[in-house]
Amino acid sequence: MSTPTKDPWARVRAATPARVGLGRSGTALPTKHSLEFQYAHARARDAVHRQVDLARLEDDLAPLEVARVNSAAADRATYLRRPDLGRRLEEGSRLSPEISNAPDIVFVIADGLSADAVQTHAAAVTRAAMEALPEFTIAPVFLASQARVAIGDEIGAMLGARLVILLLGERPGLTVADSLGVYITYRPEVGRRDSERNCISNIHGQGGLDYATAARKIAWLTREALRIGVTGTALKEDAEVLGDTAVDMLPD
């Protein structure tokens, strides 16, 4: 009788969600792993193409005041082909309700590249972050359709806000399809570079940041940004204060 061999990949697989050491059946993956891969790929594609249910998101945000805006991308297909259009408001846009006094902060929720992330996490993260920032004036929450990160710069500039906090569905991967990112930009204006904003990424329920931790990071970065007057590469997270890892700075 032959002695069973120990799986040399078991320890590695236990340490990462990556697909490693899956074995093979003939020249292909074993059926189980092949089906899991196809499911993950389908879920990622659905997250990209699915539309956010804005009415449901408004209900999740209630009783917060909410306003809707659209990017210059007329539909999802255009949005995916033309990233530049997703960074600007549609021509002739006016923000409603009109804000009489410029707020300290405006929250923008953009669909980005994962409707699932926005639908699942955006309302809870927005609420938690607002509760952690009680000393600041905050504008109504803007829901931006077919939108990318930089659309927050135009919204913030039109309101005269000191800082914009934009929540957006990150590109789905084959491990996590509903990861939410948060981008923080001081003195928003059209033309801001990615290096001028901070990003908190990987907010999700599969080993990513939980809502309380994300809100704590958002609040710390917001206060520091408004205190020293800068975001981006010039603003580094103090890991000792937060008791966590550093904040990423990533493009959209």
Side-chain angles (χ1 to χ4, degrees), residues 212-235:
T213 301
R216 187 170 74 249
K217 289 175 179 286
I218 292 168
W220 189 90
L221 285 168
T222 295
R223 291 192 177 95
E224 285 299 294
L226 294 176
R227 182 179 71 85
I228 66 177
V230 69
T231 48
T233 55
L235 176 57

Side-chain angles (χ1 to χ4, degrees), residues 15-197:
T16 176
R19 292 173 170 82
V20 295
L22 301 181
R24 66 181 185 179
S25 177
T27 59
L29 285 172
T31 300
K32 175 179 181 294
H33 297 306
S34 179
L35 292 174
E36 288 174 347
F37 181 88
Q38 292 177 54
Y39 172 74
H41 186 259
R43 188 179 175 207
R45 286 175 58 88
D46 287 347
V48 169
H49 291 282
R50 186 177 292 123
Q51 299 288 327
V52 174
D53 185 339
L54 294 176
R56 178 180 153 203
L57 185 55
E58 286 188 5
D59 289 342
D60 291 341
L61 288 164
L64 297 175
E65 189 173 5
V66 174
R68 298 188 190 184
V69 294
N70 299 312
S71 79
D75 51 48
R76 196 65 177 170
T78 303
Y79 168 80
L80 294 173
R81 291 195 307 267
R82 294 284 305 275
D84 57 314
L85 297 180
R87 297 185 180 112
R88 297 297 303 270
L89 290 169
E90 63 183 349
E91 188 174 353
S93 290
R94 294 174 58 87
L95 301 186
S96 179
E98 295 182 0
I99 309 298
S100 56
N101 296 315
D104 293 319
I105 301 166
V106 57
F107 281 81
V108 178
I109 299 176
D111 44 12
L113 289 170
S114 175
D116 293 354
V118 172
Q119 205 79 68
T120 305
H121 309 299
V125 174
T126 299
R127 287 182 178 282
M130 285 187 176
E131 290 173 2
L133 295 165
E135 70 269 37
F136 297 106
T137 57
I138 299 177
V141 180
F142 283 83
L143 307 184
S145 296
Q146 316 298 357
R148 294 182 183 266
V149 173
I151 202 168
D153 299 336
E154 188 169 5
I155 294 170
M158 291 176 73
L159 294 174
R162 297 172 65 197
L163 182 137
V164 59
I165 300 173
L166 183 137
L167 295 79
L168 170 138
E170 297 179 319
R171 290 182 182 88
L174 295 176
T175 300
V176 179
D178 64 341
S179 181
L180 188 77
V182 178
Y183 292 79
I184 302 172
T185 309
Y186 179 74
R187 290 297 182 199
E189 59 184 39
V190 175
R192 283 290 189 203
R193 300 184 300 273
D194 289 323
S195 60
E196 296 176 291
R197 46 179 129 257

Side-chain angles (χ1 to χ4, degrees), residues 45 132 200 248:
R45 286 175 58 88
I200 304 168
D248 298 320

